[in-house]
Amino acid sequence: MSTMTSAPAAARQAPRTTPAQRMLALARAELTLLGRSKGTLVMALFVPLVMPFSVRAGASEMDLEGTGLSVGSVVLPGAIGFSLLFAVYSALVNVYAARREELVLKRLRTGELRDAEILAGAALPSVAVGLLQSVLLAAGCVALLDVGAPEAPHYAVLGLLLGLALWPVLAAATASFSRSVENAQVAAMPLLLLSFFGSGTMVPLEVMPDRVAAVCELLPLTPVVELIRGGWTGDLSAADALGALAVTVAWIGVGVFAVRRWFRWEPRR
Amino acid sequence: MTEQVIDVDGLRRTYAGGFEAVRGISFTVARGELFALLGTNGAGKTSTVEVLEGLTAPAAGHVRVLGHDPYRERNEVRPRIGMMLQEGGFPSELTVTETARMWAGCTSGARPVGDALEAVGLGRRGGTRVKQLSGGEKRRLDLAMALIGDPEVLFLDEPTTGLDAEGRRETWELVRALRERGTTVLLTTHYLEEAEQLADRLAILHEGRIAAAGTVADVVATQPSRISFELPDGYFLGDLPPLAALGVTGHELTGRTVRLRTDTLQRSATELLLWARRNGVELRGLDIRAATLEEAFLRIAREMAGTEGTSGGHGASGAHRASGTGEVLEKETA
């Protein structure tokens, strides 16, 4: 067909951007946007900090005799769970739906950012908020609820990191099934409710009937809560920890599959 | 030897559901050239450009941009090209400067944000939220982002759709300036004037095929020029000099209005006027008109509609084909 010659002009090579640079540039813009979105901000910052008080009220009434749990070890993992659900998951479902609606995702895909970088870069500020919040909640619970230092801190850290990796993926997967921004919150509801009641944030699995607990262990938030709780109480066996890890990794796999398969980059017309 | 910056060969694009938007087109664009894909809505312009931009893979055929497959080798291609979609967005709550900073951070060799905005006349709008920009300003911001990495190849999908006359002219100035600097530009448009004003070469797309291609002059040359006048009182068509000798290729009589078609306008017009002087008659309503791109465009659309279901166009050679079989509408002059 045609002959290709490399003209001198083509040889001019500007330094290429790296994935990290690109994601940080996007994350910076998203952080600015987060600061300007009052609704998201209230939900992300306020709710996870208030919810623990209601959990605490409930936990004081619970019959924790024989479960090896204290009020603090019920409240803290639950509080971190709420942070993941609101500051990370719910906020990001909104972000992805809104950026799609405004055709921002479509425009970003025309640049050097790859698809995964777009989703990850947009998630960074919310993930940072979730991380910061979790650390604050842990410090707060240690100071106020007499939780004591964690017995197996590595489990707690593993649980938190897994949670911070998993929930953005689930947010993107959820956004795949919502048509609009208004719809996004509705799409997020099932997983939010299921996690509230089934993942040990409000009620620890230890006080549930065995059969119910067995099913609830497979929910995406449960292993995170279990790992963090085990990190504090120190009575999580290595086998249970491995099981929790496996469940989370499986959910990440399901989420990634769903995103690759169904995520839409522009609004349906 | 000129370098082909864009090379499209037998490109086809089929959507889920089986609709074939692009039906085997081929063309090349040389470095520094401004190439326009002209066509009506639904002709397949955007479907074609999306493949060139590497946003999707072709159903068949192959595409090379800067010597690479833009879809599979996107890491090689993306940093060297810029593109502006027909519609694409920036977050409405960010300011212009924040938007540009974000985009610059994602672009290899990005120019300073201030310069990039200055270049499109948005220098003073840096602190304004995107949602407060006018439609034209948004398009200019979009263009600024497409240009921020100083791309070797620029894709513009209907860059002036939705702009007012002034905005359109400003965009044209900008595009011309880019071409002066040696940027290769591929633009799509459904404005004939835009293609006529800007394009070094163009291809007319019709229903997923290239109906004609070449320079504006090439494409126009496939269309006959026209002479029309009123037959003087007492004269009949047969009283005119032999039409073939005038270089007239087709004629038509409506009431007393004569329409002649010719590929040699000067010769036909001269002979006709000399005949009028010799006979001392006045040709009322005389109109001598060179072919325009618009006529070529409309005629091609009509012709293609007429031949739909048969072979249709054959890639870039369409211009020559059209010149061979273009005279099907009116009776031929023997």
Side-chain angles (χ1 to χ4, degrees):
Chain A
M1 274 246 54
S2 61
T3 35
M4 300 286 173
T5 59
S6 46
R12 125 191 108 93
Q13 286 277 328
R16 298 279 168 94
T17 56
T18 65
Q21 276 172 346
R22 299 194 286 259
M23 284 191 283
L24 280 177
L26 181 56
R28 183 179 173 187
E30 280 296 340
L31 186 63
T32 310
L33 288 166
L34 179 63
R36 284 179 193 157
S37 165
K38 296 213 172 58
T40 313
L41 212 54
V42 167
M43 183 124 97
L45 299 184
F46 188 67
V47 175
L49 295 181
V50 169
M51 287 303 268
F53 292 103
S54 67
V55 177
R56 186 191 165 188
S60 322
E61 314 267 297
M62 272 176 218
D63 180 16
L64 298 172
E65 201 81 19
T67 59
L69 296 175
S70 65
V71 171
S73 61
V74 172
V75 173
L76 175 57
I80 292 176
F82 281 123
S83 176
L84 290 173
L85 289 179
F86 285 96
V88 180
Y89 174 67
S90 185
L92 279 176
V93 173
N94 250 339
V95 165
Y96 292 137
R99 301 298 169 264
R100 175 173 59 210
E101 193 98 332
E102 286 188 314
L103 299 171
V104 174
L105 298 181
K106 186 177 182 185
R107 188 67 174 94
L108 285 174
R109 287 187 100 203
T110 66
E112 293 173 38
L113 284 159
R114 296 185 146 268
D115 291 353
E117 293 169 18
I118 294 173
L119 296 179
L124 275 180
S126 299
V127 169
V129 168
L131 175 64
L132 199 69
Q133 221 166 42
S134 300
V135 171
L136 284 177
L137 285 166
C141 285
V142 168
L144 302 174
L145 288 179
D146 199 20
V147 194
E151 300 282 327
H154 53 286
Y155 284 153
V157 170
L158 177 68
L160 180 58
L161 292 182
L162 283 174
L164 290 172
L166 168 63
W167 286 88
V169 176
L170 293 180
T174 304
S176 313
F177 301 104
S178 72
R179 281 166 179 270
S180 64
V181 183
E182 297 78 45
N183 199 279
Q185 284 313 302
V186 180
M189 276 326 258
L191 206 46
L192 278 179
L193 289 176
L194 217 55
S195 303
F196 275 174
F197 299 111
S199 286
T201 47
M202 305 276 263
V203 184
L205 266 58
E206 281 84 344
V207 302
M208 287 183 184
D210 284 352
R211 271 202 198 149
V212 178
V215 174
C216 287
E217 269 172 16
L218 299 176
L219 294 175
L221 189 62
T222 312
V224 175
V225 171
E226 293 295 286
L227 280 168
I228 294 171
R229 183 166 291 145
W232 248 272
T233 60
D235 47 12
L236 190 69
S237 69
D240 284 346
L242 220 58
L245 177 67
V247 172
T248 316
V249 170
W251 274 108
I252 293 177
V254 169
V256 169
F257 173 80
V259 171
R260 292 178 76 112
R261 183 82 187 257
W262 290 295
F263 193 81
R264 276 180 293 109
W265 295 90
E266 48 192 289
R268 200 173 279 169
R269 286 289 146 88
Chain B
M1 192 193 297
T2 54
E3 180 194 4
Q4 301 303 342
V5 166
I6 299 172
D7 185 358
V8 179
D9 187 19
L11 170 65
R12 285 175 184 275
R13 180 140 182 230
T14 313
Y15 287 96
F19 174 67
E20 198 175 29
V22 182
R23 307 175 181 191
I25 64 172
S26 307
F27 62 88
T28 57
V29 182
R31 184 172 286 280
E33 209 172 16
L34 197 153
F35 189 87
L37 278 175
L38 181 63
T40 51
N41 291 332
K45 303 187 299 287
T46 299
S47 299
T48 301
V49 174
E50 281 176 353
V51 175
L52 300 185
E53 291 167 337
L55 296 174
T56 184
H62 84 253
V63 164
R64 298 244 139 202
V65 173
L66 293 162
H68 298 279
D69 180 328
Y71 185 72
R72 286 201 217 120
E73 301 172 278
R74 57 165 280 163
N75 284 350
E76 294 305 315
V77 179
R78 284 290 170 91
R80 296 168 63 188
I81 67 176
M83 57 183 107
M84 184 168 144
L85 301 173
Q86 219 174 93
E87 45 164 25
F90 298 106
S92 54
E93 295 295 338
L94 286 185
T95 67
V96 169
T97 299
E98 287 161 352
T99 304
R101 203 184 288 143
M102 168 186 84
W103 202 260
C106 301
T107 308
S108 300
R111 298 154 65 198
V113 165
D115 293 0
L117 295 176
E118 200 68 55
V120 296
L122 286 176
R124 287 156 184 262
R125 300 290 269 159
T128 309
R129 298 266 173 103
V130 168
K131 66 177 173 188
Q132 284 156 348
L133 296 179
S134 71
E137 286 174 323
K138 277 186 190 144
R139 292 301 276 170
R140 277 189 276 152
L141 175 61
D142 207 343
L143 185 58
M145 297 307 95
L147 293 174
I148 203 166
D150 236 337
E152 291 169 56
V153 188
L154 179 65
F155 295 96
L156 301 172
D157 197 359
E158 304 206 354
T160 62
T161 298
L163 293 190
D164 58 16
E166 198 193 333
R168 184 166 303 159
R169 223 152 283 279
E170 282 171 7
T171 305
W172 289 357
E173 287 310 314
L174 218 81
V175 172
R176 282 203 191 94
L178 286 168
R179 190 184 42 182
E180 299 295 302
R181 291 217 317 257
T183 308
T184 308
V185 183
L186 186 139
L187 73 83
T188 75
T189 183
H190 58 248
Y191 296 119
L192 291 149
E193 196 193 351
E194 189 157 290
E196 214 158 13
Q197 286 278 334
L198 296 176
D200 296 313
R201 285 192 310 128
L202 59 89
I204 296 180
L205 266 186
H206 188 77
E207 291 177 344
R209 295 190 178 92
I210 292 180
T215 63
V216 173
D218 287 343
V219 173
V220 169
T222 65
Q223 302 304 313
S225 304
R226 294 195 306 203
I227 304 171
S228 67
F229 56 91
E230 272 177 42
L231 211 49
D233 289 337
Y235 281 83
F236 297 97
L237 205 53
D239 297 329
L240 295 174
L243 293 178
L246 298 187
V248 170
T249 56
H251 70 272
E252 200 183 348
L253 183 66
T254 322
R256 295 205 60 79
T257 304
V258 179
R259 288 203 183 80
L260 306 178
R261 321 176 68 82
T262 172
D263 294 327
T264 49
L265 183 60
Q266 186 180 336
R267 174 175 148 221
S268 305
T270 307
E271 294 298 334
L272 181 71
L273 292 174
L274 286 174
W275 170 84
R277 190 169 70 183
R278 277 198 305 274
N279 290 272
V281 296
E282 189 195 347
L283 299 176
R284 273 196 299 271
L286 178 66
D287 184 15
I288 297 175
R289 179 177 298 223
T292 63
L293 186 58
E294 183 175 7
E295 281 168 60
F297 183 67
L298 293 175
R299 193 179 167 93
I300 283 161
R302 257 192 327 232
E303 235 175 77
M304 299 279 284
T307 58
E308 191 49 35
T310 61
S311 65
H314 286 290
S317 64
H320 309 293
R321 184 195 65 86
S323 69
T325 60
E327 313 302 324
V328 294
L329 285 179
E330 280 116 37
K331 53 193 165 181
E332 303 289 317
T333 302

